[in-house]
């Protein structure tokens, strides 16, 4: 198994290279986005570990360029930025998974194994569920071609539901993700904001976009 590690932090690169080689992987290293694209032009990889913040060309651009070139190597994006908007943007650019620094090496290995088992990525596309599309760069939302204006908090909440599309997300998870700086935020606040999203995104006589799972939380309908 051959991996490409794209990371400019010298200490982290050395630790990753040593640990991955001990696990039996062959490892190539690139420390800039330009070097990563050059390396990828010469070799195919079973997976790419890609840092988001790189000198020159950033990780978003590297990933998008690989996909535009028709490359389907699984990409695990690394970043110190935990904002849900950044995660959506990373997935939009074609990344398959996202790991926030600092991370445990065992978790990185587990995510790599899962990506490699899954195989090459499908061609990337914008998140689209029930006619819903999000653009993390412009922070715009459309539903069935109609642009919907959301507050930053509403966008963050919807973005996390889209990221976890088809899965039930609990109220505590949503509170931790969207209201992380407010320790006294109540679970009822999640219900209030889900109500705001429903008013803006759903038609009174139409199907639910955000489904309530009684006693657990909420789920975005993806079909």
């Amino acid at each position: 198994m051959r991996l490409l590690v794209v990371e400019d932090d010298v200490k982290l690169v050395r630790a990753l290279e040593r640990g991955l080689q001990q696990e039996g992987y062959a490892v190539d290293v690139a420390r800039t986005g330009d070097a990563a694209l050059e390396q990828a032009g010469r070799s195919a990889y079973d997976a790419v570990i890609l840092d988001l913040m790189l000198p020159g060309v950033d990780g978003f651009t590297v990933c998008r360029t690989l996909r535009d070139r028709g490359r389907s190597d699984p990409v695990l994006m690394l970043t110190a930025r935990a904002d849900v908007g950044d995660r959506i943007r990373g997935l939009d650019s074609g990344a398959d998974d996202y790991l926030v620094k600092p991370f445990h090496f065992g978790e990185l290995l587990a995510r790599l194994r899962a990506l490699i088992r899954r195989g090459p990525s499908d061609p990337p596309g914008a998140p689209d569920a029930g006619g819903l599309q999000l653009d993390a760069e412009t922070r715009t939302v459309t539903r069935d071609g109609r642009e919907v204006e959301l507050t930053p908090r509403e966008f963050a909440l919807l973005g996390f539901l889209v990221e976890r599309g088809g899965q039930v997300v609990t109220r505590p998870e949503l509170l931790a993700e969207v209201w992380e700086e407010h320790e006294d935020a109540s679970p009822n606040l999640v219900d209030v904001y889900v109500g705001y999203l429903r008013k803006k995104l759903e038609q009174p006589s139409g199907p639910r976009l955000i489904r309530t799972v009684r006693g657990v939380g909420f789920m975005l309908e993806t079909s």
Side-chain angles (χ1 to χ4, degrees):
M1 293 287 181
R2 180 168 291 277
L3 306 177
L4 175 61
V5 175
V6 188
E7 169 63 65
D8 65 325
D9 184 317
V10 175
K11 289 184 178 179
L12 181 56
V13 165
R14 289 174 179 167
L16 288 175
E17 188 174 18
R18 182 172 58 251
L20 291 167
Q21 287 173 344
Q22 289 175 351
E23 293 293 322
Y25 294 102
V27 180
D28 291 339
V29 172
R31 290 190 170 87
T32 68
D34 290 320
L37 292 172
E38 183 179 345
Q39 287 274 88
R42 295 197 299 261
S43 304
Y45 293 97
D46 294 286
V48 178
I49 300 172
L50 176 62
D51 186 35
L52 175 59
M53 303 303 293
L54 296 166
V57 178
D58 64 20
F60 294 129
T61 304
V62 170
C63 191
R64 190 178 299 110
T65 302
L66 289 175
R67 298 308 186 221
D68 288 346
R69 291 177 179 178
R71 294 292 296 267
S72 56
D73 319 56
V75 173
L76 174 60
M77 192 168 277
L78 304 180
T79 182
R81 297 161 60 174
D83 182 73
V84 66
D86 290 323
R87 291 209 297 274
I88 293 172
R89 187 180 173 196
L91 295 170
D92 282 353
S93 69
D96 298 273
D97 200 0
Y98 208 103
L99 190 57
V100 177
K101 300 176 183 177
F103 53 83
H104 191 282
F105 183 66
E107 182 180 2
L108 180 137
L109 287 176
R111 289 176 181 266
L112 271 180
R113 289 193 294 268
L115 288 181
I116 292 170
R117 283 197 304 270
R118 192 184 309 162
S121 306
D122 294 328
D128 189 337
L132 177 72
Q133 289 192 308
L134 277 73
D135 188 322
E137 293 192 34
T138 62
R139 302 188 80 83
T140 57
V141 177
T142 58
R143 177 85 196 277
D144 297 328
R146 174 179 61 90
E147 187 169 337
V148 181
E149 186 175 343
L150 299 182
T151 67
R153 189 83 67 183
E154 290 166 351
F155 185 89
L157 177 60
L158 181 62
F160 192 51
L161 289 170
V162 168
E163 185 182 337
R164 298 279 294 274
Q167 302 177 33
V168 178
V169 186
T170 67
R171 289 174 178 83
E173 285 179 306
L174 288 166
L175 277 177
E177 185 67 35
V178 181
W179 285 272
E180 57 184 345
E181 74 276 21
H182 299 293
E183 296 181 358
D184 58 345
S186 164
N188 291 336
L189 199 56
V190 175
D191 295 72
V192 171
Y193 272 80
V194 167
Y196 294 158
L197 288 176
R198 283 173 170 158
K199 287 180 181 178
K200 292 184 177 184
L201 296 169
E202 299 177 352
Q203 298 297 324
S205 58
R208 283 290 194 195
L209 177 67
I210 303 172
R211 181 160 65 88
T212 300
V213 181
R214 190 178 298 277
V216 182
F218 302 94
M219 182 178 76
L220 189 78
E221 297 286 5
T222 57
S223 59

